[in-house]
């Protein structure tokens, strides 16, 4: 049986994102996402589904295929909603969204400059930030853990982003995915000497594991971990245009 799927593809901060506009049964989300994310199909790093919002103040509900929260997908949807509402050049528009992975409303400020969209958004506040030492693969790994309701991120300092380090991070993510029952795990490898970051995102419900080139969640988690920020709203400017590809 073939499905007809109407979708929009975005590239916020080099993080290829597909948002599906057509309605489909929720139990089909994972299958649809896996097919669309593959290299021989549309290809993307993540897939979200645009649903009708429950709360009146929200313009739409973003449901990620794995039930996780995704800041880049929220910005992509905010830019799309602003476009649909007829935002003009140099105009700024406030878009409020519901999103999977958080009970908090997500507020985005979208600005259109020519045919590009720039977005500033408030990220959900983590429940807890803690330092841990975990014994894994014969070593004691020092890490910072940023916890939310349905997902968490781990920040680890490394000297290099070489193959053994990446393979160890992938193995750790898979192990945590099998034992934690969470919808998303981020392993953020950080080189303090050069301020470089290699973000690995694993979504257990989809068995999707990807090294991302750009991620708003990554930069924010690192800021929270390093500085212990507990502000209720954490606006984060988009470092590049949330370009919409139709």
């Amino acid at each position: 049986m073939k499905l007809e799927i109407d979708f929009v593809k975005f590239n916020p901060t080099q993080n290829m994102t597909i948002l599906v506009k057509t309605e489909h049964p929720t139990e089909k989300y994972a299958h649809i996402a896996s097919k669309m994310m593959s290299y021989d199909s549309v290809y993307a790093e993540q897939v979200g589904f645009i649903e009708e919002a429950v709360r009146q103040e929200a313009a739409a509900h973003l449901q990620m295929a794995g039930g996780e929260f995704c800041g880049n997908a929220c910005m992509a949807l905010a830019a799309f909603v602003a476009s649909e509402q007829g935002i003009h050049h140099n105009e700024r528009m406030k878009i409020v969204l519901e999103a999977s992975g958080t009970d908090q409303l997500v507020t985005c400020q979208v600005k259109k400059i020519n045919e590009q969209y720039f977005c500033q958004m408030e990220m959900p506040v983590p429940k807890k930030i803690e330092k841990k030492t975990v014994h894994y693969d014969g070593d004691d790994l020092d890490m910072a853990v940023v916890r939310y309701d349905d997902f968490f991120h781990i920040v680890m300092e490394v000297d290099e982003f070489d193959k053994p380090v990446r393979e160890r991070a992938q193995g750790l993510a898979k192990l945590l995915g099998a034992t934690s029952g969470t919808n998303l795990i981020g392993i953020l490898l950080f080189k303090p000497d050069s301020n470089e970051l290699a973000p690995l995102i694993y979504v257990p419900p989809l068995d999707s594991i990807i090294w991302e080139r750009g991620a708003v969640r990554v930069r924010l988690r690192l800021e929270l971990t390093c500085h212990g920020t507990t502000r209720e709203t954490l606006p984060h400017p988009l470092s590049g245009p949330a370009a919409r590809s139709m």
Side-chain angles (χ1 to χ4, degrees):
M1 179 180 177
K2 292 185 177 180
L3 291 176
E4 185 173 316
I5 300 174
D6 188 11
F7 66 92
V8 190
K9 188 174 182 180
F10 302 80
N11 183 23
T13 65
Q14 301 182 36
N15 188 213
M16 288 294 184
T17 303
I18 293 172
L19 297 185
V20 176
K21 297 166 59 180
T22 41
E23 293 185 11
H24 302 279
T26 305
E27 60 269 21
K28 298 286 187 181
Y29 282 5
H31 175 72
I32 291 171
S34 296
K35 290 292 186 181
M36 298 186 77
M37 288 168 63
S38 64
Y39 282 104
D40 57 353
S41 183
V42 183
Y43 178 66
E45 295 179 10
Q46 62 225 352
V47 177
F49 294 80
I50 303 173
E51 298 180 347
E52 186 175 345
V54 175
R55 284 175 277 192
Q56 187 175 1
E57 58 267 45
H61 177 91
L62 173 64
Q63 182 65 38
M64 299 303 293
E68 75 275 19
F69 174 81
C70 179
N72 278 327
C74 286
M75 290 194 297
L77 179 54
F80 177 70
V81 171
S83 175
E84 293 291 288
Q85 293 184 3
I87 188 172
H88 299 294
H89 168 67
N90 222 26
E91 181 184 357
R92 186 181 297 273
M93 186 178 290
K94 177 181 176 182
I95 304 295
V96 179
L97 302 172
E98 295 174 350
S100 58
T102 179
D103 292 331
Q104 304 171 38
L105 289 172
V106 179
T107 301
C108 306
Q109 297 288 340
V110 181
K111 185 174 183 179
K112 182 180 180 182
I113 300 178
N114 296 321
E115 296 304 314
Q116 295 182 326
Y117 296 83
F118 296 81
C119 184
Q120 185 180 51
M121 66 176 293
E122 297 174 359
M123 300 290 285
V125 179
K127 286 188 169 294
K128 190 176 183 181
I129 301 173
E130 55 188 341
K131 291 184 177 181
K132 283 185 171 291
T133 300
V134 175
H135 187 76
Y136 174 72
D137 198 24
D139 289 323
D140 290 329
L141 304 178
D142 294 326
M143 60 185 67
V145 184
V146 185
R147 297 187 182 277
Y148 287 80
D149 286 331
D150 296 323
F151 65 98
F152 60 87
H153 288 273
I154 291 172
V155 181
M156 295 191 300
E157 292 188 3
V158 297
D159 295 324
E160 298 293 339
F161 298 144
D162 55 18
K163 185 177 179 180
V165 169
R166 288 176 179 267
E167 288 179 347
R168 173 180 286 191
Q170 291 177 196
L172 178 60
K174 289 270 190 175
L175 176 62
L176 292 172
T179 57
S180 66
T182 189
N183 287 328
L184 182 145
I185 297 164
I187 307 289
L188 317 180
L189 304 180
F190 177 56
K191 290 172 62 175
D193 292 342
S194 59
N195 285 328
E196 292 179 273
L197 193 67
L200 174 71
I201 302 299
Y202 178 50
V203 183
L206 301 180
D207 195 28
S208 167
I209 189 163
I210 292 175
W211 289 98
E212 293 189 342
R213 289 186 296 172
V216 169
R217 67 171 78 88
V218 167
R219 288 190 293 272
L220 180 59
R221 298 300 169 265
L222 188 60
E223 177 186 338
L224 286 169
T225 303
C226 293
H227 301 292
T229 304
T230 56
R231 288 175 291 168
E232 293 185 358
T233 58
L234 294 167
H236 187 92
L238 184 64
S239 64
R244 183 164 67 97
S245 173
M246 299 296 290

